[in-house]
Amino acid sequence: NLPRGMWFNKISLADDMLVIEGSAISRDTSEIINVHHLTADLKENKEFIKDFTSLELGSIQRRQIKNVEIADFVITMKIK
């Protein structure tokens, strides 16, 4: 489940890697914390993680649209 204010922009498969690119927005808490929570939740989900040998949070880039902070992130997973 995606935390509120978070969405995926692109999901791609290349060789043995699944790559998820997404964004997070938050007015109440830090959007970067939400990205870390999503990554931790995916790693703890035994049914999800069983098909991967690794799951890593890559780059997080902050940007601002008007007065709203957005964090763009990349998660990579190596398929078994």
Side-chain angles (χ1 to χ4, degrees):
N1 294 329
L2 284 176
R4 187 175 179 181
M6 187 174 292
W7 62 94
F8 295 150
N9 300 315
K10 181 179 178 184
I11 299 174
S12 59
L13 183 62
D15 297 322
D16 61 348
M17 298 294 288
L18 179 65
V19 180
I20 298 175
E21 298 176 34
S23 299
I25 185 173
S26 177
R27 293 176 190 243
D28 299 329
T29 60
S30 172
E31 59 282 344
I32 292 178
I33 290 172
N34 290 339
V35 174
H36 285 286
H37 283 233
L38 172 65
T39 305
D41 289 347
L42 290 174
K43 285 181 178 181
E44 291 175 8
N45 184 326
K46 292 185 187 333
E47 189 62 29
F48 178 81
I49 200 69
K50 69 180 173 70
D51 296 317
F52 303 100
T53 58
S54 68
L55 186 152
E56 300 297 326
L57 176 60
S59 66
I60 300 177
Q61 300 292 320
R62 282 186 163 197
R63 61 186 166 106
Q64 191 161 341
I65 297 178
K66 296 188 180 181
N67 61 344
V68 178
E69 287 271 336
I70 298 174
D72 298 316
F73 61 90
V74 176
I75 298 173
T76 57
M77 293 161 273
K78 185 170 173 109
I79 300 171
K80 283 186 178 177

